[in-house]
Amino acid sequence: MPLLRKTNTIQTDKNSGFGTNAGNYGGRFVNKNGTPNIEKTGMNLLRRISWYHTMIDMPNWKFMLILFSFYIAINFIFAVIYYAIGIEHLDGIAQSGSILTQFGQAYFFSAQTFTTVGYGHISPTGFLTSALSAAEALIGLLSFAIATGLFFGRFSKPTAFLKFSHNALISPYGEGKGLMIRLVPFKNTNFTDAAAKVTLGLSLEENGQSVNKFYKLDLELDRINALSLSWTLVHPITESSPLYNFTEEDFKTIHGEILVFITTFDDMFSNTVAARTSYTFSEIIYGAKFRTMYNRSKDGSKTILYLDKLNQFDTTNFA
């Protein structure tokens, strides 16, 4: 195809970090949330999974669910052990109550011991019960120390609170066309010194073999001093662009992906943060233009940024 021969004459990016053999690659290179589309195997789960990174990165609802589930489960286990040793070794529990009532009181004694609250209306007697309650108190202290560290890690983790548009657009730009991707800071953070890099990945036929080729896409503006409003990354599709000869049909039939990498300085964390995403060719809208997502307030004293307009666009025709 003339399109692919033209693309092959443009200098490729050899520092992409992705393999060149397309036959060994499956799906997209980078997921929409910025994580690599990679599944690791060949090593047991405990060695290839960092529980700390997993707990730090998981959604809030899942993190809280695990903490509550652990708390309920470990107290249940200790309550079973207390009950197995004998309720008579827990002073303050009525011996005449039902099995369910006795077990329930053993459970709540376990919770009081685990949290080191110790209300005192139930107390252990005998060596086994006393040793078990002492061990549970120690495990409780260590568990809460770990949970506190995880909470601190989650709250203090430098995070790029940036949202990318769902779709990339091929829009009118100057006398021709441009690839456009929009992003916006969505929390009350202050970003400075923002830099962007956009890479095109293509799976092409070369010497009868399917290979991955990567091309750096030059941007109209790849660095800004302050990222306060929305930022539209624009790659002008000129004769020097690897996308120059692409038609609307090509974006539907060729397997390609746009990789986006953003770094910026967050003065709240006093640290550089990064965000990533990607757009497969099926996620690129040909002949569309983003709607403006900010304007002046009614009294003219502020600029209003409408976060809900991040993904809004209008279809357009090329001249």
Side-chain angles (χ1 to χ4, degrees):
M1 295 175 60
L3 171 66
L4 300 187
R5 287 200 297 270
K6 163 89 171 63
T7 303
N8 286 334
T9 64
I10 300 176
Q11 185 176 2
T12 59
D13 183 357
K14 299 184 183 300
N15 299 319
S16 66
F18 299 95
T20 59
N21 191 341
N24 294 338
Y25 237 95
R28 62 198 306 156
F29 298 108
V30 176
N31 295 315
K32 292 294 288 182
N33 63 1
T35 59
N37 187 29
I38 303 293
E39 180 181 343
K40 298 178 181 178
T41 186
M43 190 179 291
N44 67 71
L45 181 65
L46 294 179
R47 291 196 63 189
R48 73 174 187 267
I49 296 294
S50 168
W51 68 268
Y52 178 79
H53 287 82
T54 301
M55 295 291 286
I56 290 293
D57 288 335
M58 70 174 49
N60 289 332
W61 68 268
K62 187 178 294 186
F63 176 75
M64 296 303 299
L65 178 62
I66 289 177
L67 286 187
F68 282 119
S69 299
F70 173 79
Y71 179 77
I72 293 171
I74 196 168
N75 281 299
F76 181 84
I77 292 172
F78 275 106
V80 169
I81 300 174
Y82 284 124
Y83 193 86
I85 293 174
I87 294 299
E88 63 275 10
H89 295 291
L90 292 175
D91 288 345
I93 295 182
Q95 303 295 316
S96 58
S98 65
I99 293 177
L100 185 60
T101 300
Q102 291 178 348
F103 182 81
Q105 298 221 31
Y107 182 89
F108 288 115
F109 169 73
S110 171
Q112 295 160 21
T113 304
F114 187 79
T115 58
T116 68
V117 172
Y119 290 124
H121 71 285
I122 301 175
S123 59
T125 60
F127 176 79
L128 283 179
T129 309
S130 298
L132 181 62
S133 61
E136 183 180 10
L138 176 61
I139 294 173
L141 287 171
L142 296 176
S143 298
F144 279 100
I146 293 173
T148 302
L150 289 172
F151 268 109
F152 176 78
R154 289 177 65 87
F155 279 107
S156 63
K157 182 183 68 170
T159 303
F161 294 110
L162 297 173
K163 280 190 177 296
F164 295 89
S165 56
H166 290 324
N167 299 101
L169 308 182
I170 301 296
S171 308
Y173 176 75
E175 299 298 324
K177 299 181 290 239
L179 170 71
M180 299 192 182
I181 299 164
R182 189 156 68 177
L183 60 111
V184 66
F186 64 96
K187 286 187 179 289
N188 55 330
T189 52
N190 295 317
F191 292 135
T192 59
D193 297 326
K197 180 179 180 181
V198 179
T199 300
L200 167 66
L202 289 174
S203 295
L204 306 176
E205 290 290 333
E206 191 174 88
N207 299 324
Q209 183 179 3
S210 182
V211 297
N212 291 327
K213 292 283 189 177
F214 297 91
Y215 307 89
K216 179 183 177 182
L217 299 184
D218 295 327
L219 300 177
E220 171 200 40
L221 196 62
D222 62 3
R223 185 178 294 271
I224 56 176
N225 293 330
L227 180 52
S228 302
L229 296 173
S230 61
W231 184 15
T232 301
L233 305 178
V234 180
H235 166 65
I237 303 178
T238 62
E239 291 186 1
S240 61
S241 169
L243 295 174
Y244 180 64
N245 284 328
F246 277 62
T247 65
E248 183 175 5
E249 184 64 25
D250 292 326
F251 284 103
K252 297 178 182 179
T253 57
I254 296 176
H255 179 69
E257 186 173 346
I258 306 294
L259 312 176
V260 185
F261 306 91
I262 304 292
T263 57
T264 183
F265 184 81
D266 188 333
D267 61 6
M268 180 65 69
F269 290 116
S270 293
N271 205 343
T272 299
V273 294
R276 300 168 299 273
T277 192
S278 77
Y279 300 88
T280 60
F281 276 10
S282 62
E283 296 166 336
I284 297 177
I285 306 298
Y286 192 92
K289 186 176 182 179
F290 284 117
R291 294 179 181 174
T292 302
M293 60 182 299
Y294 61 87
N295 58 27
R296 185 173 57 183
S297 62
K298 291 183 178 180
D299 61 5
S301 63
K302 291 183 179 180
T303 301
I304 308 299
L305 178 62
Y306 300 96
L307 299 177
D308 56 339
K309 293 185 178 182
L310 173 63
N311 301 305
Q312 294 183 7
F313 59 84
D314 295 310
T315 57
T316 185
N317 294 320
F318 295 107

